Amino acid sequence: MKLLQNKVAELFENGTINLMIGFKEALTKQPVPCFIEKASEIEQLIYTKDCKNNLSVYLHKPEVKQAGKIGILANIATLRALVQLTSENQFWDIEKTVLTVNDKEEVIVFSDMEEVEAYVQANFPEFSEEDLKLLDYLESLSREDRWKYWTEQFSACIKCYACRAVCPMCYCPQCTVECNQPQWIKTSAQTTGNLEWHIMRAMHLAGRCINCGECGRICPVGIPVHLLTVKMNQDLFKEFGTKSGFALKGDYALNSFKPDDKEGFIK
Amino acid sequence: MEIKTITSANIPVFFNNLVKSGKVVVAPVLKKSGKVFFESVQSYDQVSTDYIQTAFSAKSVVFPEVEELFSYTKKEDGDFEFRNDMSNVPETVIWGLRPCDSSAFNYLTDFFLKENPDTYFKLRKERTTLISVSCAKADAACFCTSVGLNPGNVTGSDILLTAMGDSYYVEISTEKGKSVIDTALFTDSTEKSKEEFLAKVETKFSMDEIRERIQTAYDSAEWKHESMGCLGCGACAFSCPTCTCFDIQDEGSQESGKRLRCWDACGFGQFTRHASGHNPKSNQTARRRQRLMHKFKYSVENFGIVSCVGCGRCIRVCPAHLNIFENILNVTKA
Amino acid sequence: MDKENKYIPYRVRIAKKTQESSNIQTYRLEFVDEKDAENFSFRSGQFCEYGVPGEGESTFCIASPDTRKGYVECTFRTTGRVTAALANCEENDIISLRGPFGNAFPIEQWYGKNVVFVTGGIALPPLRCVIDTLLDQREKFGEISVYYGAKNVEELTYKAELEEWAARGDMNLFITVDPGGETPEWKNFIGFVPTILEQNPPKSDNAVAVIAGPPILIKLGMPILAKSGFPNDQIYTTLENRMKCGVGKCGHCTVGKTYVCKDGPVFTYEEVLGMPLEY
Ligand code: SF4
Ligand code: SF4
Ligand code: SF4
Ligand code: SF4
Ligand code: FES
């Protein structure tokens, strides 16, 4: 911890950053996001395996952007998000310094996004065991039962949009659910509208989702929303060999076109 | 107030009798996700007894996520027919809500009925009986004692049950409460006090100090820092027992359909946005401030009630884990 | 609104549709049900929720004076889904109406005084209602002055009315368009409303001022009026926050602890000064 804190103190001192996004321990003992603006707050900073939040989402936030020079303590999911977002031409308007703590508890300060990319490629995470197990189970169901499973799950959704709020890839200033000319998606939290919302979200994230699992983790109702995009990513890898958050100049199946595309409808 | 006792063994009998009487009984149920939710249940075996607080409050019984205000049909001559029928709203018992939640019902009642009484809430509230259960356990997010409540507080409940080993201490506050008691199961109370069976909840702040300092807190420089983590979702407002904001939306065609009111939240960026694009609460700092000021200042000015009951839900549910009592302490710092 | 259920609307028929400009229209609305017509009464300054079932509701003030009974008028600009649906309606179509909501201008307190109106863009409607109420009992008031501006000539609403007012000869009119918004024939003022107001300050003795318009105009205009001598409690405005319910429940319209829909929309500058800048 000291190592990390000293490093961050150094970054503040030499003017590299004026805001550090990291983790601290909450009164409830779990690690939660923290925002350090003053040197005196640096001692709150922690990093453990339980630091799950994908902090890259904050780099979209106007209040954060205002700081201009931002340090971000990134877990592997956050690093992947940064790679993906860079490939989507985000973050042109801020100066960011990316830090991580590796398995050997060494603090790494990346000097540029290429280094982040290399680190991500060397440490590319697998899909989580737990997710794969649940997906296997769902695949084993009949189409009708699978539909039933998701209908039941989504009928409990209250449309708090927390899944969208925590997602670093959901950065549209006006989400499709908020468009009402025409009204694509019913706004009331009822089964049909909920399904529409989640199908739409899954499609917008197909091949862009970097599998941090935040949406499923924080859903107050406990819906495993993240499985939809995990599944999409699996299929995209199988069919097109693409991986999200892997390369700065990535090729994403849903926004690239090749004359030899295997899908006939596109030609 | 009437005090009675019921043996723990008779609690399921009492509960199942409520179900048998034809009332809808809504009680805490443990779901596969590990979270506890209020749900309509058929028998006491389904009821969770080992929980600190439900993930969501029970306000949806009187203020549903989606309420049909009326349905409409356009007739051939172009005129409309508007229909609203609430006759089948069932008599409902909410079982197992915590004392903080029942006291939240007092605020809701003032809010919805004092001025421009709300037809929908009024009817639902009339048909709802609250049987609360005192807290034997609390967690780090609980802070009822800081807002003038406590784990055994009776306000708002029709009946408050407190588990005392092999019996329950029963406090019946209203006629409605009396009407659901079946006398055979209840005896006049013992001399024992319920206090020792209640959770100990440490006070996080003194409401007297906050009440004074909140007067000038609007301009505090701390809001920005305190709300930096806020991502602008609806989780805190939707889980909160005293949040009342809603949106009105039509679903259907211009020929027929329904006008609905749906929960909304002041944390959403679109909440206050004008059609012109101008947004009076233009950033998340302003929106987070609205939430806290509403709970601790505006509702006091409008209704004489601090509308945060200290249930801690918004803390547990927040994806960024914003902590309302830390926030309020920091923005009212001297 | 006397109805017990505040959410069930009245049915009203569009008796007359006037296209004020390409995207601004005025509707005269008459109640389908005669009983509703009898029960419905309002005061100048109040607003309603106008709706097309299936599309939703939109908030506009009542633009006709409360001295003229049996109908209400509203003027609105097409900006979104609901206003587009409303604008698509034709004469004789039936739409929904809830209201009247909110407080009103205390016109009785203005008897014997000079009244100054300041407004811009699509905000003439809330004041047109008051102006016409005053004109219907012209003898009870002193001088009536109107400062009104729009982006360009096309966007000036109530052109016919403006001509009528000018023809009466018993009003001081300062009609202006933003620089660049004038046409070759334009003979009136050119400049933003606050500028015209500063250059031609209204007399503030024995006078009240009423200002309405986009939030920026209100924020800039109120201090100018105060500076020209109007006491803070004699400057009135009407605020237009986003509204859904109209009855102080949905939470959209709040400015601090104040609900614009039920505590307003009419406020004095003194009251506004006590509120946070959330409008
Ligand atoms: S976080 Fe959960 S409840 Fe909220 S919108 Fe997403 S899926 Fe629905
Ligand atoms: S405080 Fe937390 S739960 Fe509430 S809007 Fe902000 S991020 Fe969502
Ligand atoms: S603001 Fe938070 S702690 Fe207070 S009543 Fe609402 S959910 Fe509970
Ligand atoms: S304004 Fe915000 S805090 Fe207040 S009731 Fe509405 S959602 Fe809750
Ligand atoms: S419009 Fe609903 S509270 Fe004011």
Side-chain angles (χ1 to χ4, degrees):
Chain A
M1 243 34 93
K2 242 345 328 112
L3 232 63
L4 174 66
Q5 292 172 0
N6 291 343
K7 196 76 224 164
V8 172
E10 204 183 298
L11 293 173
F12 268 104
E13 265 160 44
N14 64 24
T16 313
I17 61 172
N18 45 29
L19 171 68
M20 178 72 205
I21 314 176
F23 293 92
K24 67 172 181 189
E25 188 182 83
L27 291 184
T28 47
K29 302 287 172 231
Q30 78 221 70
V32 299
C34 78
F35 300 83
I36 293 171
E37 292 174 278
K38 297 191 278 273
S40 61
E41 296 164 340
I42 292 177
E43 54 192 41
Q44 308 174 348
L45 208 58
I46 59 161
Y47 189 83
T48 69
K49 277 200 299 301
D50 296 324
C51 291
K52 298 235 169 68
N53 299 61
N54 191 330
L55 299 179
S56 63
V57 66
Y58 288 111
L59 297 179
H60 300 303
K61 204 179 154 173
E63 282 96 329
V64 170
K65 280 183 191 257
Q66 264 169 27
K69 294 192 258 178
I70 306 156
I72 178 166
L73 181 55
N75 52 26
I76 186 71
T78 306
L79 293 174
R80 265 184 84 180
L82 293 172
V83 169
Q84 178 70 23
L85 287 165
T86 308
S87 83
E88 295 180 13
N89 302 319
Q90 297 298 304
F91 305 149
W92 49 271
D93 52 350
I94 49 169
E95 262 178 64
K96 60 180 183 321
T97 305
V98 186
L99 284 77
T100 195
V101 179
N102 68 11
D103 288 347
K104 294 185 221 104
E105 305 220 343
E106 292 159 341
V107 181
I108 302 172
V109 183
F110 296 99
S111 51
D112 55 25
M113 279 311 294
E114 279 69 29
E115 276 188 37
V116 175
E117 179 185 40
Y119 184 90
V120 165
Q121 293 184 354
N123 296 277
F124 204 73
E126 300 291 326
F127 292 111
S128 95
E129 291 283 323
E130 214 181 315
D131 291 351
L132 290 178
K133 230 168 75 198
L134 191 49
L135 275 179
D136 278 347
Y137 162 73
L138 288 172
E139 303 256 354
S140 74
L141 298 178
S142 68
R143 217 186 158 101
E144 289 71 32
D145 286 344
R146 206 156 51 228
W147 181 248
K148 192 163 149 254
Y149 173 87
W150 285 114
T151 317
E152 265 172 30
Q153 289 288 340
F154 288 135
S155 66
C157 168
I158 49 157
K159 287 208 174 139
C160 68
Y161 299 125
C163 47
R164 179 184 71 186
V166 294
C167 177
M169 300 307 147
C170 274
Y171 52 75
C172 300
Q174 193 170 17
C175 173
T176 307
V177 286
E178 274 138 14
C179 299
N180 65 4
Q181 281 183 304
Q183 183 94 43
W184 296 105
I185 288 160
K186 294 194 181 80
T187 47
S188 68
Q190 301 186 103
T191 311
T192 333
N194 291 354
L195 276 166
E196 288 168 349
W197 148 234
H198 285 288
I199 292 169
M200 181 280 284
R201 194 177 112 83
M203 288 313 292
H204 287 188
L205 291 166
R208 300 178 53 241
C209 159
I210 46 82
N211 295 348
C212 62
E214 280 291 274
C215 49
R217 187 174 71 86
I218 57 77
C219 171
V221 186
I223 304 171
V225 252
H226 62 294
L227 287 185
L228 296 180
T229 45
V230 168
K231 173 73 179 126
M232 293 270 188
N233 281 1
Q234 267 186 339
D235 286 358
L236 283 166
F237 181 65
K238 237 187 282 158
E239 301 294 329
F240 301 93
T242 54
K243 287 189 211 170
S244 56
F246 186 77
L248 289 173
K249 299 217 162 33
D251 228 3
Y252 298 102
L254 292 193
N255 58 8
S256 66
F257 170 75
K258 293 194 194 93
D260 58 341
D261 200 285
K262 61 195 278 188
E263 284 296 348
F265 76 89
I266 208 163
K267 291 178 196 161
Chain B
M1 163 95 64
E2 256 180 62
I3 314 276
K4 295 205 177 280
T5 302
I6 180 171
T7 62
S8 300
N10 270 334
I11 284 283
V13 184
F14 173 40
F15 185 93
N16 294 336
N17 284 348
L18 288 170
V19 178
K20 269 186 229 139
S21 75
K23 294 189 167 61
V24 170
V25 182
V26 171
V29 174
L30 177 67
K31 307 297 285 183
K32 270 203 223 94
S33 59
K35 297 173 197 257
V36 176
F37 290 94
F38 280 106
E39 257 185 32
S40 145
V41 294
Q42 296 309 317
S43 129
Y44 193 69
D45 333 325
Q46 295 166 270
V47 178
S48 166
T49 48
D50 182 34
Y51 63 98
I52 287 172
Q53 188 50 286
T54 53
F56 284 83
S57 86
K59 74 175 171 193
S60 58
V61 173
V62 285
F63 174 50
E65 292 92 319
V66 181
E67 174 95 85
E68 179 180 322
L69 294 173
F70 59 85
S71 60
Y72 60 86
T73 333
K74 195 175 199 159
K75 295 184 291 196
E76 265 175 28
D77 59 1
D79 197 1
F80 285 97
E81 196 190 332
F82 300 127
R83 287 174 312 269
N84 157 251
D85 177 17
M86 295 194 68
S87 56
N88 53 10
V89 169
E91 285 285 341
T92 304
V93 174
I94 309 177
W95 174 283
L97 71 174
R98 296 306 189 192
C100 53
D101 288 356
S102 54
S103 123
F105 272 77
N106 274 359
Y107 169 74
L108 292 178
T109 308
D110 277 7
F111 176 81
F112 277 113
L113 301 184
K114 263 203 177 152
E115 203 181 336
N116 292 329
D118 187 271
T119 316
Y120 307 85
F121 179 90
K122 184 158 176 280
L123 187 98
R124 290 186 186 275
K125 178 79 199 332
E126 274 163 11
R127 296 190 186 171
T128 303
T129 310
L130 306 181
I131 305 185
S132 318
V133 178
S134 303
C135 304
K137 288 192 293 187
D139 67 12
C142 291
F143 63 104
C144 57
T145 48
S146 307
V147 291
L149 302 170
N150 66 73
N153 125 85
V154 292
T155 49
S157 304
D158 294 301
I159 300 174
L160 175 68
L161 303 171
T162 307
M164 304 201 297
D166 51 13
S167 71
Y168 277 71
Y169 190 79
V170 185
E171 291 163 275
I172 309 161
S173 303
T174 64
E175 285 305 313
K176 220 191 232 170
K178 242 186 254 172
S179 72
V180 297
I181 291 280
D182 48 295
T183 35
L185 299 174
F186 294 83
T187 54
D188 286 340
S189 177
T190 55
E191 63 297 347
K192 264 207 278 181
S193 140
K194 67 176 183 182
E195 291 313 313
E196 59 176 300
F197 297 94
L198 299 178
K200 303 281 169 286
V201 181
E202 183 199 331
T203 39
K204 309 289 198 298
F205 54 81
S206 134
M207 200 50 229
D208 286 336
E209 273 175 36
I210 301 285
R211 206 174 265 126
E212 199 189 302
R213 298 215 190 113
I214 195 98
Q215 300 309 325
T216 50
Y218 189 91
D219 296 317
S220 165
E222 299 299 318
W223 286 112
K224 190 171 162 196
H225 188 75
E226 290 302 305
S227 52
M228 200 71 105
C230 178
L231 294 163
C233 65
C236 50
F238 292 0
S239 65
C240 176
T242 61
C243 273
T244 47
C245 288
F246 59 82
D247 189 13
I248 298 179
Q249 286 287 342
D250 288 5
E251 276 186 14
S253 63
Q254 289 194 12
E255 309 308 314
S256 70
K258 293 167 179 165
R259 183 159 291 168
L260 309 171
R261 79 168 170 204
C262 312
W263 286 356
D264 206 341
C266 63
F268 289 136
Q270 308 277 326
F271 189 71
T272 51
R273 196 172 169 274
H274 292 192
S276 66
H278 169 68
N279 194 342
K281 295 177 186 118
S282 61
N283 52 46
Q284 210 52 38
T285 307
R287 298 191 273 268
R288 177 70 185 161
R289 170 173 60 195
Q290 162 67 18
R291 176 170 186 79
L292 271 66
M293 294 296 277
H294 188 188
K295 298 294 179 210
F296 289 91
K297 182 166 188 275
Y298 306 153
S299 71
V300 177
E301 289 165 334
N302 290 335
F303 296 96
I305 301 177
V306 176
S307 60
C308 168
V309 296
C311 70
R313 285 191 178 88
C314 54
I315 304 172
R316 296 183 201 101
V317 85
C318 175
H321 211 86
L322 263 71
N323 182 319
I324 187 166
F325 62 74
E326 281 182 355
N327 293 160
I328 205 78
L329 269 172
N330 288 335
V331 297
T332 54
K333 258 195 314 235
Chain C
M1 187 170 188
D2 287 318
K3 282 191 167 186
E4 195 193 296
N5 186 333
K6 308 282 188 288
Y7 297 98
I8 311 251
Y10 297 110
R11 291 126 52 226
V12 288
R13 175 172 285 112
I14 301 172
K16 190 167 146 218
K17 176 174 181 173
T18 315
Q19 203 68 41
E20 303 281 350
S21 72
S22 62
N23 65 350
I24 300 174
Q25 40 277 315
T26 297
Y27 286 175
R28 174 172 296 193
L29 303 166
E30 290 171 1
F31 291 87
V32 173
D33 193 330
E34 267 166 42
K35 275 203 286 317
D36 292 345
E38 279 161 33
N39 292 336
F40 188 92
S41 75
F42 69 94
R43 287 173 305 134
S44 302
Q46 291 191 291
F47 66 93
C48 292
E49 291 292 333
Y50 306 79
V52 176
E55 305 296 335
E57 290 182 319
S58 208
T59 318
F60 328 117
C61 61
I62 301 176
S64 50
D66 59 12
T67 42
R68 301 176 203 171
K69 311 271 180 216
Y71 64 87
V72 292
E73 282 185 358
C74 65
T75 298
F76 61 97
R77 184 202 297 267
T78 316
T79 48
R81 176 182 177 189
V82 180
T83 42
L86 282 168
N88 268 336
C89 292
E90 299 298 337
E91 282 183 5
N92 275 321
D93 282 357
I94 291 171
I95 63 171
S96 77
L97 174 109
R98 291 193 298 124
F101 298 122
N103 65 357
F105 289 100
I107 290 176
E108 297 75 29
Q109 294 172 22
W110 302 347
Y111 289 164
K113 293 191 181 175
N114 303 325
V115 188
V116 178
F117 294 95
V118 180
T119 180
I122 183 70
L124 184 56
L127 295 193
R128 179 237 204 177
C129 150
V130 193
I131 296 170
D132 280 347
T133 307
L134 264 53
L135 293 179
D136 280 356
Q137 35 190 333
R138 182 69 189 87
E139 69 291 351
K140 292 188 179 144
F141 303 92
E143 284 186 23
I144 297 178
S145 316
V146 178
Y147 295 77
Y148 172 47
K151 225 193 272 153
N152 51 45
V153 178
E154 143 100 63
E155 294 219 346
L156 285 169
T157 45
Y158 303 132
K159 288 196 190 68
E161 221 118 352
L162 291 176
E163 274 167 34
E164 260 172 56
W165 291 350
R168 292 176 65 108
D170 60 355
M171 298 170 77
N172 310 321
L173 295 177
F174 301 86
I175 313 298
T176 179
V177 292
D178 291 356
E182 70 272 19
T183 51
E185 310 80 60
W186 184 248
K187 295 209 181 53
N188 267 311
F189 292 89
I190 297 171
F192 298 108
V193 178
T195 322
I196 301 300
L197 188 61
E198 271 191 313
Q199 288 165 356
N200 309 273
K203 282 197 293 291
S204 60
D205 39 295
N206 190 33
V208 300
V210 188
I211 180 165
I216 182 75
L217 178 73
I218 296 179
K219 284 173 196 162
L220 292 175
M222 288 214 176
I224 297 179
L225 288 165
K227 223 171 63 204
S228 35
F230 289 88
N232 290 351
D233 62 354
Q234 295 302 312
I235 303 172
Y236 294 86
T237 190
T238 166
L239 297 182
E240 296 185 351
N241 260 2
R242 178 155 188 215
M243 295 188 191
K244 285 288 179 170
C245 70
V247 288
K249 297 286 183 272
C250 73
H252 286 265
C253 69
T254 61
V255 176
K257 66 159 190 173
T258 307
Y259 290 81
V260 174
C261 65
K262 81 175 171 65
D263 305 327
V266 175
F267 296 98
T268 63
Y269 185 35
E270 186 157 275
E271 290 166 328
V272 170
L273 283 175
M275 299 178 190
L277 272 178
E278 294 176 346
Y279 53 90

